[in-house]
Amino acid sequence: MKVLNKRYLALIVAAAMGVSACGSDGKDGADGEDGAPGPGPNPPTVEASEITNVEVINHVIEEGKVTFEFQITNEDDALIVGLQKANAELSAMTENGIARSRDSYEGVQVGGSASETTEGASLTVLDNGNYEFVAPMPHVTAGTDGIVRLAVGGGDAIAKSRYIIVSKPDNVHTTTTETCQSCHVDYAASHLKHPSYTAINTDGETDLVAGCMTCHGNVARDDGGYARNTMQKIGHINHQKFEKDFAPTNCYTCHAEPVINTSIAGNGCSDCHSTDNADIQAIIASSNEFDARAFHANSALIGLEERQNIRANHYTTTSAPYIDDSLVWDNYPQGGWCTTVALFNTEGESEVQLNIGQMYAAGTLTYAGAYIHGHFNDSLVGRPSPRGSDQYIENEDGSRSICYPHLDGLDSSYRLADLVASTRVTFKQFEDDGGYDGVSFTSYSDVVDHTGVKTQEYERRHAVTTDSCTTCHNNETNYHKNGSYTEGGLDCVACHNNGQDRSAKNSAPGFGPMVHSMHWGVGASATDPDGNPNSATKLNAENCVSCHADGIDLNAIPNQFIRAKAFHGGDNTKMASPITANCFACHNDDSALNHMIQQGGSIDEEVVADWYTQPTSESCATCHAEGKSYGIEKFHIFERSF
């Protein structure tokens, strides 16, 4: 088996065509008499490196050994001479999956490993920068297939290279680098176990799963493998309580390719299931095409497919707020503001409008309500409507109108804000879910002035990607109060916005600061409703690309205050400047806060009239916007490594 890189392929083609590297027949060269070729250029060589790059020219698996030919260069692309160290592993494909036995295993051993110190090994210089490494592996035969891994260098002078997956069998794993690093982002840069073992392929791309499987194969140590934890156990067991509303049985989150098992005793199944489970045995035995992903998605326990179908086949619309002077209230003057929510099913050939009132009475829906918000400078700045004063009107077409008393005179602090409505409809899923764990649809209306005239379409800066929440919170349910994880948590903004001084477990105000704190700040120390710690703290907080795939433009953040009770606790409402509020959610020690305050930031301004119209004094973007001398991208990761 031979792998040719582009550099060597070009030389081979040139030689085959009889083309000189200098483009001449040699007659004009310094020593070109009689057509004799002139001296070729001598590429620079070095004896040390800070980075060691490896170009694998070929490898051959033979009886009892694996032979590699490769070239190494340093960070400046200079050829490296004086290499003294190399090591290689081969984890073999067996009837039980990938395995590499330790020398101490007393059964039939498979695979192997070797370094330059192994008896019978040789590391030979072929030319400047070019080497041959013969790695003795007694249990390997010419027909052995498996994952082959190589690394060279190490010591004081020549840095150790990245681990390289030289070859691997087709379909050897059904998870991918992309699915793992959707959460871990760049495992090689993490603080988790063995980050330095993160491997690349011969094209220089991260091959995370194959690199891990070289040691953590499908066979555990006591059964002839290398590590006690197989890759399946790491994925299936170690991630079961990864995060609130993370369903390990939503296999599609990690398994991009079909997972075909023919026996419950096979790889993966026995990690979670008893091997004598007759029902599951029967299901697996019924078809050689059995895809374990689909089986778990259909599981009645989690109802994942049902929730996915509900979300895929429904949507809602929300009308702009409008005045209805016929409304009568017990404690308020006649008249008020309304918005109308309609629910549609798109499952058939043509979409159908559903009757919200009937579905609510039947228990199919557990919630169908709305709020009227203040809207200023593309931000939600609170709710001027009195809490608990809403009344519902069921319309003949099946829509529902939700109405509040007239706003003028009730709360004069919103006189400079326009109005926008948000609605939420929730499908019930479980008998004991309290109405929250179903599937919700939230939508926002156009914006109107205080006479009901449209001023603009709804806009709200939302700097996260659509799937930034559902990558981890993958079970298609809601968080709480019917807020959905879809669309990057856009539903949450209806309650957690610039004008709602929510406590959020005393984490932070607003949406962005709350998310930062609940995952990596003071709010992360709290436990979820099941008593589990917030496991997002195990991930690198600086891996902002998990949510902010398009980066962050600090200059685009509206320069207006947000309500900030949660920074202080109790019932005292204050104001905070927005960048300071977001940064302080994680960087919350005294020195960090002092730095922010010195640059005009604040978390404890007293609330003033028309507070949402007042500009702040923070100047964070001057130094920390992307591209600046202390740009945010220099300290946080906004690009993926794959």
mmCIF file of all heavy atoms in Angstrom, residues 33-73:
data_model
loop_
_atom_site.group_PDB
_atom_site.id
_atom_site.type_symbol
_atom_site.label_atom_id
_atom_site.label_comp_id
_atom_site.label_asym_id
_atom_site.label_seq_id
_atom_site.Cartn_x
_atom_site.Cartn_y
_atom_site.Cartn_z
ATOM 1 N N GLU A 33 28.890 21.350 -20.658
ATOM 2 C CA GLU A 33 29.489 20.829 -21.884
ATOM 3 C C GLU A 33 29.060 19.392 -22.110
ATOM 4 O O GLU A 33 28.908 18.606 -21.180
ATOM 5 C CB GLU A 33 31.016 20.914 -21.807
ATOM 6 C CG GLU A 33 31.545 22.342 -21.820
ATOM 7 C CD GLU A 33 33.065 22.362 -21.855
ATOM 8 O OE1 GLU A 33 33.652 21.271 -22.065
ATOM 9 O OE2 GLU A 33 33.631 23.437 -21.668
ATOM 10 N N ASP A 34 28.892 19.082 -23.429
ATOM 11 C CA ASP A 34 28.498 17.734 -23.844
ATOM 12 C C ASP A 34 27.159 17.323 -23.248
ATOM 13 O O ASP A 34 26.884 16.136 -23.074
ATOM 14 C CB ASP A 34 29.575 16.707 -23.453
ATOM 15 C CG ASP A 34 30.907 17.016 -24.090
ATOM 16 O OD1 ASP A 34 30.905 17.471 -25.257
ATOM 17 O OD2 ASP A 34 31.922 16.807 -23.416
ATOM 18 N N GLY A 35 26.348 18.341 -22.892
ATOM 19 C CA GLY A 35 25.016 18.030 -22.384
ATOM 20 C C GLY A 35 24.989 17.523 -20.969
ATOM 21 O O GLY A 35 23.970 17.041 -20.496
ATOM 22 N N ALA A 36 26.098 17.602 -20.265
ATOM 23 C CA ALA A 36 26.118 17.105 -18.880
ATOM 24 C C ALA A 36 25.271 18.006 -18.007
ATOM 25 O O ALA A 36 25.338 19.221 -18.106
ATOM 26 C CB ALA A 36 27.555 17.070 -18.367
ATOM 27 N N PRO A 37 24.412 17.427 -17.135
ATOM 28 C CA PRO A 37 23.551 18.255 -16.279
ATOM 29 C C PRO A 37 24.357 19.062 -15.271
ATOM 30 O O PRO A 37 25.365 18.580 -14.747
ATOM 31 C CB PRO A 37 22.672 17.220 -15.556
ATOM 32 C CG PRO A 37 23.466 15.955 -15.594
ATOM 33 C CD PRO A 37 24.233 15.981 -16.875
ATOM 34 N N GLY A 38 23.908 20.290 -15.052
ATOM 35 C CA GLY A 38 24.551 21.138 -14.062
ATOM 36 C C GLY A 38 24.138 20.739 -12.667
ATOM 37 O O GLY A 38 23.238 19.926 -12.471
ATOM 38 N N PRO A 39 24.768 21.288 -11.670
ATOM 39 C CA PRO A 39 24.429 20.927 -10.282
ATOM 40 C C PRO A 39 23.044 21.447 -9.921
ATOM 41 O O PRO A 39 22.690 22.571 -10.254
ATOM 42 C CB PRO A 39 25.526 21.626 -9.472
ATOM 43 C CG PRO A 39 25.964 22.773 -10.326
ATOM 44 C CD PRO A 39 25.843 22.300 -11.744
ATOM 45 N N GLY A 40 22.223 20.635 -9.264
ATOM 46 C CA GLY A 40 20.893 21.070 -8.833
ATOM 47 C C GLY A 40 20.975 21.855 -7.549
ATOM 48 O O GLY A 40 22.000 21.863 -6.864
ATOM 49 N N PRO A 41 19.876 22.539 -7.200
ATOM 50 C CA PRO A 41 19.856 23.327 -5.966
ATOM 51 C C PRO A 41 19.858 22.422 -4.747
ATOM 52 O O PRO A 41 19.297 21.315 -4.781
ATOM 53 C CB PRO A 41 18.550 24.101 -6.079
ATOM 54 C CG PRO A 41 17.685 23.264 -6.960
ATOM 55 C CD PRO A 41 18.614 22.622 -7.950
ATOM 56 N N ASN A 42 20.488 22.855 -3.694
ATOM 57 C CA ASN A 42 20.509 22.114 -2.441
ATOM 58 C C ASN A 42 19.527 22.757 -1.473
ATOM 59 O O ASN A 42 19.768 23.871 -1.001
ATOM 60 C CB ASN A 42 21.910 22.116 -1.832
ATOM 61 C CG ASN A 42 22.903 21.345 -2.677
ATOM 62 O OD1 ASN A 42 22.593 20.259 -3.151
ATOM 63 N ND2 ASN A 42 24.085 21.919 -2.881
ATOM 64 N N PRO A 43 18.412 22.096 -1.184
ATOM 65 C CA PRO A 43 17.443 22.697 -0.268
ATOM 66 C C PRO A 43 18.052 22.856 1.117
ATOM 67 O O PRO A 43 18.911 22.059 1.525
ATOM 68 C CB PRO A 43 16.297 21.684 -0.262
ATOM 69 C CG PRO A 43 16.904 20.399 -0.701
ATOM 70 C CD PRO A 43 18.003 20.765 -1.640
ATOM 71 N N PRO A 44 17.642 23.877 1.865
ATOM 72 C CA PRO A 44 18.213 24.106 3.199
ATOM 73 C C PRO A 44 17.835 22.987 4.159
ATOM 74 O O PRO A 44 16.771 22.389 4.051
ATOM 75 C CB PRO A 44 17.584 25.434 3.619
ATOM 76 C CG PRO A 44 16.311 25.527 2.831
ATOM 77 C CD PRO A 44 16.613 24.868 1.515
ATOM 78 N N THR A 45 18.714 22.709 5.080
ATOM 79 C CA THR A 45 18.447 21.706 6.111
ATOM 80 C C THR A 45 18.660 22.321 7.483
ATOM 81 O O THR A 45 19.408 23.287 7.643
ATOM 82 C CB THR A 45 19.367 20.480 5.961
ATOM 83 O OG1 THR A 45 20.727 20.903 6.120
ATOM 84 C CG2 THR A 45 19.166 19.809 4.611
ATOM 85 N N VAL A 46 18.000 21.754 8.472
ATOM 86 C CA VAL A 46 18.127 22.193 9.859
ATOM 87 C C VAL A 46 18.222 20.961 10.745
ATOM 88 O O VAL A 46 17.852 19.852 10.338
ATOM 89 C CB VAL A 46 16.933 23.069 10.297
ATOM 90 C CG1 VAL A 46 16.898 24.379 9.530
ATOM 91 C CG2 VAL A 46 15.619 22.308 10.111
ATOM 92 N N GLU A 47 18.706 21.156 11.941
ATOM 93 C CA GLU A 47 18.836 20.049 12.889
ATOM 94 C C GLU A 47 17.899 20.189 14.081
ATOM 95 O O GLU A 47 17.985 19.425 15.043
ATOM 96 C CB GLU A 47 20.283 19.964 13.383
ATOM 97 C CG GLU A 47 21.280 19.648 12.289
ATOM 98 C CD GLU A 47 22.707 19.548 12.819
ATOM 99 O OE1 GLU A 47 22.896 19.833 14.021
ATOM 100 O OE2 GLU A 47 23.611 19.183 12.047
ATOM 101 N N ALA A 48 16.991 21.175 14.015
ATOM 102 C CA ALA A 48 16.053 21.398 15.124
ATOM 103 C C ALA A 48 14.741 21.929 14.556
ATOM 104 O O ALA A 48 14.679 22.429 13.433
ATOM 105 C CB ALA A 48 16.637 22.384 16.130
ATOM 106 N N SER A 49 13.699 21.829 15.349
ATOM 107 C CA SER A 49 12.399 22.347 14.927
ATOM 108 C C SER A 49 11.555 22.678 16.144
ATOM 109 O O SER A 49 11.683 22.061 17.197
ATOM 110 C CB SER A 49 11.663 21.324 14.059
ATOM 111 O OG SER A 49 11.304 20.188 14.831
ATOM 112 N N GLU A 50 10.711 23.679 15.978
ATOM 113 C CA GLU A 50 9.669 23.945 16.964
ATOM 114 C C GLU A 50 8.385 23.224 16.574
ATOM 115 O O GLU A 50 7.564 22.874 17.416
ATOM 116 C CB GLU A 50 9.427 25.451 17.068
ATOM 117 C CG GLU A 50 10.616 26.228 17.606
ATOM 118 C CD GLU A 50 10.337 27.712 17.706
ATOM 119 O OE1 GLU A 50 9.173 28.119 17.504
ATOM 120 O OE2 GLU A 50 11.278 28.477 17.980
ATOM 121 N N ILE A 51 8.206 23.043 15.271
ATOM 122 C CA ILE A 51 7.088 22.268 14.727
ATOM 123 C C ILE A 51 7.672 21.283 13.728
ATOM 124 O O ILE A 51 8.492 21.653 12.886
ATOM 125 C CB ILE A 51 6.055 23.177 14.033
ATOM 126 C CG1 ILE A 51 5.434 24.149 15.037
ATOM 127 C CG2 ILE A 51 4.970 22.338 13.356
ATOM 128 C CD1 ILE A 51 4.526 25.174 14.391
ATOM 129 N N THR A 52 7.266 20.034 13.808
ATOM 130 C CA THR A 52 7.742 19.016 12.879
ATOM 131 C C THR A 52 6.583 18.555 12.004
ATOM 132 O O THR A 52 5.589 18.009 12.507
ATOM 133 C CB THR A 52 8.339 17.814 13.625
ATOM 134 O OG1 THR A 52 9.442 18.256 14.423
ATOM 135 C CG2 THR A 52 8.814 16.752 12.649
ATOM 136 N N ASN A 53 6.699 18.832 10.705
ATOM 137 C CA ASN A 53 5.684 18.427 9.735
ATOM 138 C C ASN A 53 6.142 17.145 9.047
ATOM 139 O O ASN A 53 7.314 16.997 8.712
ATOM 140 C CB ASN A 53 5.476 19.520 8.685
ATOM 141 C CG ASN A 53 5.079 20.840 9.324
ATOM 142 O OD1 ASN A 53 4.113 20.899 10.066
ATOM 143 N ND2 ASN A 53 5.839 21.888 9.048
ATOM 144 N N VAL A 54 5.215 16.243 8.825
ATOM 145 C CA VAL A 54 5.538 14.940 8.244
ATOM 146 C C VAL A 54 4.747 14.742 6.957
ATOM 147 O O VAL A 54 3.524 14.903 6.945
ATOM 148 C CB VAL A 54 5.216 13.791 9.220
ATOM 149 C CG1 VAL A 54 5.613 12.446 8.619
ATOM 150 C CG2 VAL A 54 5.915 14.010 10.556
ATOM 151 N N GLU A 55 5.462 14.410 5.883
ATOM 152 C CA GLU A 55 4.840 13.988 4.630
ATOM 153 C C GLU A 55 5.072 12.488 4.486
ATOM 154 O O GLU A 55 6.206 12.036 4.322
ATOM 155 C CB GLU A 55 5.464 14.723 3.444
ATOM 156 C CG GLU A 55 5.173 16.211 3.395
ATOM 157 C CD GLU A 55 3.814 16.506 2.780
ATOM 158 O OE1 GLU A 55 3.143 15.536 2.365
ATOM 159 O OE2 GLU A 55 3.437 17.681 2.720
ATOM 160 N N VAL A 56 4.005 11.695 4.578
ATOM 161 C CA VAL A 56 4.129 10.247 4.457
ATOM 162 C C VAL A 56 4.158 9.893 2.972
ATOM 163 O O VAL A 56 3.210 10.155 2.241
ATOM 164 C CB VAL A 56 2.971 9.524 5.159
ATOM 165 C CG1 VAL A 56 3.107 8.014 4.991
ATOM 166 C CG2 VAL A 56 2.938 9.886 6.638
ATOM 167 N N ILE A 57 5.261 9.297 2.530
ATOM 168 C CA ILE A 57 5.406 8.931 1.123
ATOM 169 C C ILE A 57 4.742 7.584 0.859
ATOM 170 O O ILE A 57 3.975 7.435 -0.090
ATOM 171 C CB ILE A 57 6.898 8.890 0.728
ATOM 172 C CG1 ILE A 57 7.518 10.272 0.964
ATOM 173 C CG2 ILE A 57 7.065 8.443 -0.718
ATOM 174 C CD1 ILE A 57 9.025 10.294 0.840
ATOM 175 N N ASN A 58 5.012 6.603 1.701
ATOM 176 C CA ASN A 58 4.313 5.328 1.594
ATOM 177 C C ASN A 58 4.471 4.539 2.876
ATOM 178 O O ASN A 58 5.306 4.875 3.729
ATOM 179 C CB ASN A 58 4.797 4.513 0.383
ATOM 180 C CG ASN A 58 6.240 4.058 0.539
ATOM 181 O OD1 ASN A 58 6.568 3.286 1.444
ATOM 182 N ND2 ASN A 58 7.126 4.528 -0.328
ATOM 183 N N HIS A 59 3.657 3.522 3.003
ATOM 184 C CA HIS A 59 3.834 2.568 4.094
ATOM 185 C C HIS A 59 3.433 1.196 3.572
ATOM 186 O O HIS A 59 2.561 1.074 2.691
ATOM 187 C CB HIS A 59 3.022 2.954 5.333
ATOM 188 C CG HIS A 59 1.574 2.597 5.249
ATOM 189 N ND1 HIS A 59 0.670 3.282 4.459
ATOM 190 C CD2 HIS A 59 0.872 1.601 5.857
ATOM 191 C CE1 HIS A 59 -0.532 2.752 4.587
ATOM 192 N NE2 HIS A 59 -0.443 1.728 5.432
ATOM 193 N N VAL A 60 4.081 0.167 4.095
ATOM 194 C CA VAL A 60 3.826 -1.201 3.667
ATOM 195 C C VAL A 60 3.658 -2.074 4.905
ATOM 196 O O VAL A 60 4.501 -2.060 5.811
ATOM 197 C CB VAL A 60 4.981 -1.747 2.796
ATOM 198 C CG1 VAL A 60 4.689 -3.185 2.373
ATOM 199 C CG2 VAL A 60 5.200 -0.870 1.578
ATOM 200 N N ILE A 61 2.549 -2.814 4.939
ATOM 201 C CA ILE A 61 2.303 -3.768 6.024
ATOM 202 C C ILE A 61 2.751 -5.142 5.536
ATOM 203 O O ILE A 61 2.244 -5.665 4.536
ATOM 204 C CB ILE A 61 0.811 -3.790 6.413
ATOM 205 C CG1 ILE A 61 0.359 -2.395 6.860
ATOM 206 C CG2 ILE A 61 0.555 -4.811 7.515
ATOM 207 C CD1 ILE A 61 -1.128 -2.289 7.118
ATOM 208 N N GLU A 62 3.725 -5.725 6.247
ATOM 209 C CA GLU A 62 4.281 -7.017 5.862
ATOM 210 C C GLU A 62 4.231 -7.973 7.039
ATOM 211 O O GLU A 62 3.755 -7.619 8.125
ATOM 212 C CB GLU A 62 5.724 -6.833 5.379
ATOM 213 C CG GLU A 62 5.853 -5.883 4.189
ATOM 214 C CD GLU A 62 7.303 -5.622 3.840
ATOM 215 O OE1 GLU A 62 7.922 -4.771 4.519
ATOM 216 O OE2 GLU A 62 7.804 -6.281 2.913
ATOM 217 N N GLU A 63 4.703 -9.171 6.814
ATOM 218 C CA GLU A 63 4.714 -10.174 7.877
ATOM 219 C C GLU A 63 5.627 -9.704 9.016
ATOM 220 O O GLU A 63 6.835 -9.574 8.856
ATOM 221 C CB GLU A 63 5.224 -11.503 7.324
ATOM 222 C CG GLU A 63 4.899 -12.704 8.202
ATOM 223 C CD GLU A 63 3.426 -13.086 8.112
ATOM 224 O OE1 GLU A 63 2.795 -12.800 7.070
ATOM 225 O OE2 GLU A 63 2.930 -13.663 9.087
ATOM 226 N N GLY A 64 5.027 -9.398 10.163
ATOM 227 C CA GLY A 64 5.794 -9.048 11.346
ATOM 228 C C GLY A 64 6.339 -7.641 11.390
ATOM 229 O O GLY A 64 7.113 -7.315 12.306
ATOM 230 N N LYS A 65 5.962 -6.772 10.460
ATOM 231 C CA LYS A 65 6.497 -5.413 10.509
ATOM 232 C C LYS A 65 5.666 -4.467 9.644
ATOM 233 O O LYS A 65 4.928 -4.894 8.750
ATOM 234 C CB LYS A 65 7.952 -5.380 10.047
ATOM 235 C CG LYS A 65 8.142 -5.746 8.580
ATOM 236 C CD LYS A 65 9.620 -5.703 8.190
ATOM 237 C CE LYS A 65 9.809 -6.083 6.713
ATOM 238 N NZ LYS A 65 11.234 -6.047 6.309
ATOM 239 N N VAL A 66 5.808 -3.172 9.939
ATOM 240 C CA VAL A 66 5.246 -2.113 9.102
ATOM 241 C C VAL A 66 6.393 -1.168 8.760
ATOM 242 O O VAL A 66 7.138 -0.733 9.655
ATOM 243 C CB VAL A 66 4.122 -1.337 9.816
ATOM 244 C CG1 VAL A 66 3.544 -0.274 8.883
ATOM 245 C CG2 VAL A 66 3.025 -2.282 10.295
ATOM 246 N N THR A 67 6.563 -0.867 7.466
ATOM 247 C CA THR A 67 7.646 -0.005 7.019
ATOM 248 C C THR A 67 7.073 1.308 6.500
ATOM 249 O O THR A 67 6.122 1.309 5.707
ATOM 250 C CB THR A 67 8.462 -0.687 5.906
ATOM 251 O OG1 THR A 67 8.980 -1.927 6.401
ATOM 252 C CG2 THR A 67 9.612 0.203 5.463
ATOM 253 N N PHE A 68 7.650 2.415 6.963
ATOM 254 C CA PHE A 68 7.198 3.745 6.565
ATOM 255 C C PHE A 68 8.324 4.468 5.839
ATOM 256 O O PHE A 68 9.494 4.364 6.214
ATOM 257 C CB PHE A 68 6.825 4.590 7.791
ATOM 258 C CG PHE A 68 5.747 3.997 8.645
ATOM 259 C CD1 PHE A 68 6.056 3.108 9.675
ATOM 260 C CD2 PHE A 68 4.411 4.338 8.452
ATOM 261 C CE1 PHE A 68 5.077 2.565 10.475
ATOM 262 C CE2 PHE A 68 3.418 3.805 9.252
ATOM 263 C CZ PHE A 68 3.754 2.919 10.263
ATOM 264 N N GLU A 69 7.986 5.224 4.818
ATOM 265 C CA GLU A 69 8.909 6.168 4.211
ATOM 266 C C GLU A 69 8.271 7.549 4.305
ATOM 267 O O GLU A 69 7.099 7.727 3.966
ATOM 268 C CB GLU A 69 9.185 5.815 2.750
ATOM 269 C CG GLU A 69 10.233 6.717 2.108
ATOM 270 C CD GLU A 69 10.500 6.361 0.656
ATOM 271 O OE1 GLU A 69 10.066 5.278 0.212
ATOM 272 O OE2 GLU A 69 11.131 7.187 -0.047
ATOM 273 N N PHE A 70 9.034 8.536 4.786
ATOM 274 C CA PHE A 70 8.452 9.860 5.023
ATOM 275 C C PHE A 70 9.524 10.936 4.922
ATOM 276 O O PHE A 70 10.734 10.659 4.949
ATOM 277 C CB PHE A 70 7.782 9.921 6.396
ATOM 278 C CG PHE A 70 8.688 9.575 7.547
ATOM 279 C CD1 PHE A 70 9.424 10.558 8.189
ATOM 280 C CD2 PHE A 70 8.816 8.265 7.991
ATOM 281 C CE1 PHE A 70 10.269 10.245 9.251
ATOM 282 C CE2 PHE A 70 9.653 7.938 9.045
ATOM 283 C CZ PHE A 70 10.383 8.931 9.679
ATOM 284 N N GLN A 71 9.050 12.162 4.802
ATOM 285 C CA GLN A 71 9.932 13.333 4.806
ATOM 286 C C GLN A 71 9.469 14.271 5.911
ATOM 287 O O GLN A 71 8.259 14.410 6.144
ATOM 288 C CB GLN A 71 9.864 14.066 3.466
ATOM 289 C CG GLN A 71 10.777 15.285 3.380
ATOM 290 C CD GLN A 71 10.565 16.045 2.077
ATOM 291 O OE1 GLN A 71 9.717 16.928 2.004
ATOM 292 N NE2 GLN A 71 11.328 15.695 1.054
ATOM 293 N N ILE A 72 10.413 14.923 6.566
ATOM 294 C CA ILE A 72 10.040 15.851 7.637
ATOM 295 C C ILE A 72 10.648 17.224 7.375
ATOM 296 O O ILE A 72 11.765 17.356 6.885
ATOM 297 C CB ILE A 72 10.462 15.329 9.031
ATOM 298 C CG1 ILE A 72 11.967 15.055 9.099
ATOM 299 C CG2 ILE A 72 9.666 14.095 9.403
ATOM 300 C CD1 ILE A 72 12.438 14.669 10.503
ATOM 301 N N THR A 73 9.861 18.247 7.704
ATOM 302 C CA THR A 73 10.301 19.643 7.586
ATOM 303 C C THR A 73 9.931 20.380 8.853
ATOM 304 O O THR A 73 9.066 19.945 9.618
ATOM 305 C CB THR A 73 9.636 20.336 6.383
ATOM 306 O OG1 THR A 73 8.207 20.224 6.510
ATOM 307 C CG2 THR A 73 10.080 19.701 5.067
#
